[in-house]
Amino acid sequence: KTGQAVIAALIRHGRTVHGLVRSQEKATAIEALGATAVLGDLDETDSLVTAAAGCAVFVHIGPPMHPNEVEQTCAMLDAAKAVGARDFIYYSVMHPIRQDVEHHRLKLLAEAHVVGSGLDYTILQPCRYMQHLEGIWNQVVTKGEHAMPFDTALGFSVVDLADLAEAVALVTIDPGHRFATYELAGPQPLSQQDMAAMLARRLGRDVTAIRV
């Protein structure tokens, strides 16, 4: 989802993009956006080097919450260096210092490898997506339940995926962002309770925030 949004944004800015996929069956969506689909596997560095031939800038968006985040990021860094790429954009997570959360801990470790890689890098730390609502939308509408695996009183500055993709594109095409780390967040912290109340007003029905 994120990769396709970023590819679309880069295409709008007139960039030539190669999108990494693991199988030909996955290539259709990438090619429909105007990018070239290339085959490779994040767990196989040699395949990444072949896929990345001719690429000057890498944008690495790892699979969500993957246990091999660090190893896969290192493989991408190695591939970037092997093909003589100039820049490496790493898509991390908001507050990777929260190492009590495994996903964040792995992102922090991966960031350290990016910083020490010798490449010109930019690190992006996005907050939760507004689009996470899509996965529970039917439950919100039919049952009046806004159910997420978070404390219902904890605030998140959620951000729209389209805005994130545009930010990634701008960082990718402008060398003035080299060696920067950016937190990417929405304008206000919203808890599950806040979101449920906003949805209730919009839908005209009760909506309850639930931690699952």
Side-chain angles (χ1 to χ4, degrees):
K1 180 182 290 186
T2 304
Q4 290 187 35
V6 169
I7 286 172
L10 286 166
I11 294 292
R12 287 196 300 271
H13 283 277
R15 282 336 197 235
T16 299
V17 184
H18 286 189
L20 180 69
V21 294
R22 284 196 299 170
S23 66
Q24 192 59 46
E25 289 75 19
K26 300 288 186 181
T28 303
I30 301 299
E31 293 169 343
L33 296 171
T36 298
V38 292
L39 295 177
D41 191 314
L42 288 172
D43 292 318
E44 298 176 7
T45 303
D46 289 346
S47 76
L48 299 179
V49 173
T50 300
C55 292
V57 182
F58 275 53
V59 180
H60 177 50
I61 304 168
M65 301 185 185
H66 198 289
N68 294 343
E69 174 75 38
V70 178
E71 293 82 0
Q72 291 179 345
T73 302
C74 288
M76 287 292 280
L77 289 166
D78 289 342
K81 287 184 278 190
V83 301
R86 180 182 68 252
D87 295 305
F88 194 94
I89 317 299
Y90 179 57
Y91 197 83
S92 183
V93 67
M94 177 72 78
H95 298 158
I97 58 173
R98 286 295 306 271
Q99 296 187 65
D100 54 315
V101 182
E102 179 69 0
H103 173 54
H104 291 233
R105 185 185 72 83
L106 294 176
K107 290 287 189 184
L108 184 63
L109 291 172
E111 284 189 13
H113 286 282
V114 172
V115 171
S117 68
L119 295 170
D120 293 351
Y121 68 84
T122 308
I123 294 173
L124 303 177
Q125 299 175 336
C127 198
R128 272 178 58 197
Y129 297 1
M130 292 180 182
Q131 278 74 9
H132 288 167
L133 182 61
E134 294 175 354
I136 63 168
W137 182 244
N138 186 60
Q139 187 176 356
V140 171
V141 174
T142 61
K143 297 182 179 180
E145 296 178 351
H146 188 283
M148 289 274 188
F150 306 106
D151 184 331
T152 61
L154 187 63
F156 290 89
S157 296
V158 292
V159 63
D160 190 272
L161 178 56
D163 290 338
L164 286 173
E166 181 67 11
V168 176
L170 293 175
V171 164
T172 302
I173 65 180
D174 184 352
H177 298 290
R178 288 173 180 161
F179 304 110
T181 297
Y182 296 120
E183 293 182 338
L184 303 179
Q188 62 186 131
L190 298 171
S191 69
Q192 307 279 94
Q193 296 168 12
D194 295 330
M195 296 179 200
M198 295 168 73
L199 289 165
R201 289 193 297 271
R202 178 66 67 176
L203 294 172
R205 64 157 299 162
D206 290 339
V207 179
T208 302
I210 300 172
R211 179 174 186 170
V212 295

